[in-house]
């Protein structure tokens, strides 16, 4: 009976988590055409530069303590409220101390961060609040409080998007980027205050043992998390610093648009990862390789679709000022596909507890990315950033592939990737050859999709069949 309840909770939670994630991503994607038309390219670039800094600050202020919450449920579930109180106090104290240090550094060094000191302070408030919300999100997830978790994901974003559009359209004539930044920060802070009230209502304890355990788990993840954040965000910051915010606006649009495939991957990964872990324990290597081929197919299809329809979709979601970016879109889509592929090999490294290797690989790719960005962005602007992004993720893929193959020589061999990569490369070539001939691209897309789907129908059906 207990197992049935847990199973039912898990299924309900999984469904709502997925709905919440898709709803959030969907809201962001569907409002892109609105924001690109009510904001100038420069203002859109400032907003994305701001969000990049917020993401980086979350890594610094939050200390990756959300990983500590996981260990809290594993080892201190009976004292989890005291554990949450301890983690929250650490997060708040670290946020205050580091925030003052960051403000002092930027104030006295006159570093160009793409916006004013006032917006920097707003960013730090939002980052510290996001860190609190991230910890509580894990807490709700492990307690199966899926309604609260989904509400906490959806409401701040929904209120931010609606209020931002109203403020920009009806109340601001200039500096319209503030119409998006201030509501975003304000609602994040408000919801974090509500969360803090919930946490400290249950416990105000500070337990040194809990603190040591949480920090011992989270600190190793800080470097990996920070490196991943820099790899994902540094290009926008560097474009603003080395060129201008307008180019950042264009690059941010095509980056967010081209990374749409990662949403599909994250959804499919909810199916793949538990199954993969179980089969690794059973050493069912042949079965994993067989299913991995289908999994690769499932990601290759939407990737091909996005590549061949990208010019038309770009013209729908953005005004003419952005259209010149279509030549760089395939490079970002390829980067998104590489993220999916190397994630398969990261799973192998994690199972063998090679977290340090994963972190080192990420740091190497990040350093290369920043170095290439510094020189190439100055020469080619955001087009150069798209190229360096692709090169960096290609290197990261190679490093994870090499590491995983040393651990499991028969698992996910290179031959599994040949057909998907060939298909992706072929369609990138088609994209550039027929960039101005949409009818040819769409005809070839329909032809490919129909043939692949029909010839692999049985494999796709079996993939989604549940096996105990």
């Amino acid at each position: 009976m207990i197992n049935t309840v847990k199973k039912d909770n898990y299924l309900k939670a999984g469904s709502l988590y997925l709905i919440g994630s898709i709803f959030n991503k969907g809201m962001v994607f569907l409002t892109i055409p609105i924001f690109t038309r009510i904001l100038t390219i420069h203002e859109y670039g400032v907003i994305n530069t701001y969000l990049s800094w917020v993401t980086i600050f979350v890594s610094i202020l939050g200390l990756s303590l959300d990983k500590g919450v996981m260990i809290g449920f594993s080892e201190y579930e009976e004292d989890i409220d005291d554990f949450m109180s301890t983690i929250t106090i650490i997060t708040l104290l670290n946020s205050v101390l580091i925030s003052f240090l960051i403000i002092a550094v930027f104030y006295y060094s006159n570093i160009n961060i793409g916006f004013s000191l006032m917006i920097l302070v707003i960013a730090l408030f939002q980052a510290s609040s996001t860190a609190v919300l991230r910890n509580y999100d894990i807490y709700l997830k492990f307690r199966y409080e899926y309604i609260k978790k989904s509400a906490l994901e959806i409401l701040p974003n929904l209120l931010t998007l609606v209020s931002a559009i109203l403020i920009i359209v009806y109340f601001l004539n200039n500096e319209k980027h503030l119409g998006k930044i201030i509501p975003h920060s304000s609602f994040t802070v408000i919801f974090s205050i509500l969360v803090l009230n919930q946490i400290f209502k249950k416990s105000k304890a500070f337990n040194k043992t809990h603190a040591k355990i949480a920090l011992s788990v989270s600190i190793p993840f800080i470097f990996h998390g920070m490196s991943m954040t820099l790899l994902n965000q540094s290009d926008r910051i560097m474009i603003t610093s080395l060129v201008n915010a307008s180019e950042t606006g264009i690059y941010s649009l095509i980056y967010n648009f081209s990374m749409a495939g990662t949403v599909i991957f994250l959804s499919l990964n909810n199916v793949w990862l538990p199954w993969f872990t179980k089969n690794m324990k059973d050493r069912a290597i042949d079965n994993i390789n067989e299913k991995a081929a289908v999994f690769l197919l499932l990601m290759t299809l939407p990737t091909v679709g996005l590549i061949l329809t990208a010019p038309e979709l770009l013209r729908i979601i953005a005004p003419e000022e952005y259209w010149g970016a279509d030549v760089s879109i395939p490079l970002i889509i390829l980067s998104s596909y590489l993220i999916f592929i190397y994630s398969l090999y990261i799973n192998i490294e994690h199972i063998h507890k090679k977290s340090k290797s994963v972190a080192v690989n990420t740091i190497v790719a990040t350093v290369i990315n920043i170095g290439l960005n510094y020189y190439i962005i100055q020469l080619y602007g955001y087009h150069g950033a798209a190229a360096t992004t692709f090169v960096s993720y290609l290197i990261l893929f190679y490093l994870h592939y090499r590491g995983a193959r040393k651990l499991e020589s028969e698992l996910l061999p290179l031959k599994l990737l040949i057909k998907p990569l060939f298909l992706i490369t072929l369609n990138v070539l088609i994209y550039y050859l027929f960039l101005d001939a949409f009818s040819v691209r769409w005809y070839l897309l329909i032809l490919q999709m129909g043939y692949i789907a029909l010839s692999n129908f049985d494999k796709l059906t079996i993939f989604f069949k549940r096996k105990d």
Side-chain angles (χ1 to χ4, degrees), residues 67-236:
K67 305 296 187 298
V69 178
M70 296 180 190
I71 202 69
F73 273 95
S74 175
E75 298 184 13
Y76 299 99
E77 188 167 4
E78 292 183 359
D79 301 320
I80 193 60
D81 291 327
D82 290 345
F83 198 93
M84 278 300 297
S85 174
T86 299
I87 281 181
T88 304
I89 291 170
I90 295 172
T91 301
L92 294 175
L93 289 175
N94 185 66
S95 295
V96 171
L97 292 173
I98 301 300
S99 293
F100 275 115
L101 181 61
I102 290 171
I103 292 169
V105 169
F106 281 102
Y107 180 78
Y108 289 107
S109 63
N110 293 318
I111 297 173
N112 177 22
I113 56 174
F115 44 76
S116 67
L117 187 64
M118 179 194 75
I119 297 181
L120 172 62
V121 174
I122 293 172
L124 289 167
F125 268 106
Q126 183 172 342
S128 59
S129 298
T130 301
V132 171
L133 292 175
R134 185 175 292 180
N135 295 342
Y136 196 65
D137 179 82
I138 301 296
Y139 172 83
L140 293 176
K141 181 178 181 178
F142 275 84
R143 289 178 64 89
Y144 294 105
E145 296 187 34
Y146 39 85
I147 295 176
K148 286 184 180 179
K149 183 182 186 301
S150 299
L152 199 60
E153 287 181 345
I154 293 171
L155 287 177
N157 287 330
L158 180 61
L159 291 170
T160 294
L161 291 171
V162 172
S163 59
I165 292 169
L166 293 175
I167 291 169
I168 292 169
V169 172
Y170 294 106
F171 297 100
L172 294 177
N173 294 319
N174 50 54
E175 294 191 322
K176 292 182 179 180
H177 54 274
L178 295 176
K180 178 71 161 57
I181 289 172
I182 293 176
H184 198 172
S185 179
S186 298
F187 284 114
T188 305
V189 171
I190 289 168
F191 276 87
S192 72
I193 291 172
L194 295 175
V195 164
L196 288 172
N197 181 58
Q198 290 295 310
I199 292 171
F200 291 133
K201 188 190 296 183
K202 294 179 180 179
S203 174
K204 297 182 178 67
F206 182 84
N207 186 299
K208 290 183 179 180
T209 302
H210 292 169
K212 288 179 181 178
I213 292 293
L215 289 171
S216 67
V217 171
S218 65
I219 286 175
F221 283 96
I222 294 173
F223 299 102
H224 171 63
M226 189 66 186
S227 297
M228 280 303 301
T229 300
L230 288 173
L231 182 60
N232 294 331
Q233 306 295 334
S234 62
D235 42 12
R236 272 160 277 202

Side-chain angles (χ1 to χ4, degrees), residues 6 17 25 63 118 126 155 164 169 177 287 295 306 314 318 330 348 352 359 361 373 377-378 392 407 409 428-429 436:
K6 284 187 176 180
Y17 297 160
K25 298 292 183 183
L63 296 174
M118 179 194 75
Q126 183 172 342
L155 287 177
V169 172
H177 54 274
N287 194 28
F295 195 24
L306 191 59
L314 178 63
I348 298 173
H352 285 273
N361 291 342
N373 275 340
I377 287 174
Q378 294 183 74
S392 300
L407 299 169
S409 60
V428 169
L429 182 62
D436 298 320

Side-chain angles (χ1 to χ4, degrees), residues 453-464:
L454 289 174
S455 60
N456 293 277
F457 181 78
D458 290 340
K459 292 180 181 178
L460 293 170
T461 303
I462 292 170
F463 180 85
F464 284 107

Side-chain angles (χ1 to χ4, degrees), residues 323-352:
W323 294 357
D326 57 5
V327 296
S328 293
I329 287 177
L331 292 173
I332 307 295
I333 296 177
L334 283 171
S335 301
S336 172
Y337 191 74
L338 287 171
I339 291 172
F340 157 65
I341 294 177
Y342 78 61
S343 296
L344 298 178
Y345 293 99
I346 283 181
N347 291 336
I348 298 173
E349 293 174 298
H350 279 314
I351 282 179
H352 285 273

